[in-house]
Structures are given as structure tokens and as C-alpha cells.
Amino acid sequence: MTGDSELTCPKCGHKAVETMPTDACQWFYECTSCKAMIKPLPGDCCVYCSYGTVPCPPIQAGGSCCG
């Protein structure tokens, strides 16, 4: 299981490697470049599943995320 994911901001295209939480979903992320507040796309459970190179740990493990 991978604990880091590279997030790409949909507003400015900035990329940042972030460590994903293993015990909670991350529904919001503030871009470190343009300061946009990013939310998951409809149907995704978290920002990592929408904008990351790797889905969140619960999805990686074959489960569901966020109950």
C-alpha cells in the first residue's frame, strides 16, 4: 500500500506530494500554490481519489472509503 500521492490542482496545475491519512478521508485540500480549496469530484470519496496519482488507502486495500 502506498501512503503518498501526488495531487494535481485542477485550477492551476501545481503538483505536490502529500501523505494520505490512513484513518480518515480528506474532503478538502488547499493548493499550496494558488490557495484554491479543492473538493472531490462527484462520485469520489476524497481529494486523493479525484486528483492524486494514487487512490486513498481504504480504496487501495479493496474496501470502500468514508463509510
Side-chain angles (χ1 to χ4, degrees):
M1 188 172 322
T2 303
D4 292 335
S5 184
E6 183 179 59
L7 286 172
T8 302
C9 177
K11 306 279 187 197
C12 73
H14 178 76
K15 296 177 186 244
V17 175
E18 301 288 346
T19 300
M20 296 180 281
T22 58
D23 61 347
C25 287
Q26 188 163 339
W27 293 311
F28 299 101
Y29 175 78
E30 183 179 353
C31 176
T32 55
S33 179
C34 72
K35 305 301 181 196
M37 189 60 68
I38 300 165
K39 295 186 261 184
L41 294 170
D44 283 342
C45 62
C46 66
V47 294
Y48 294 105
C49 289
S50 292
Y51 304 108
T53 54
V54 178
C56 67
I59 298 297
Q60 288 182 54
S64 62
C65 188
C66 307

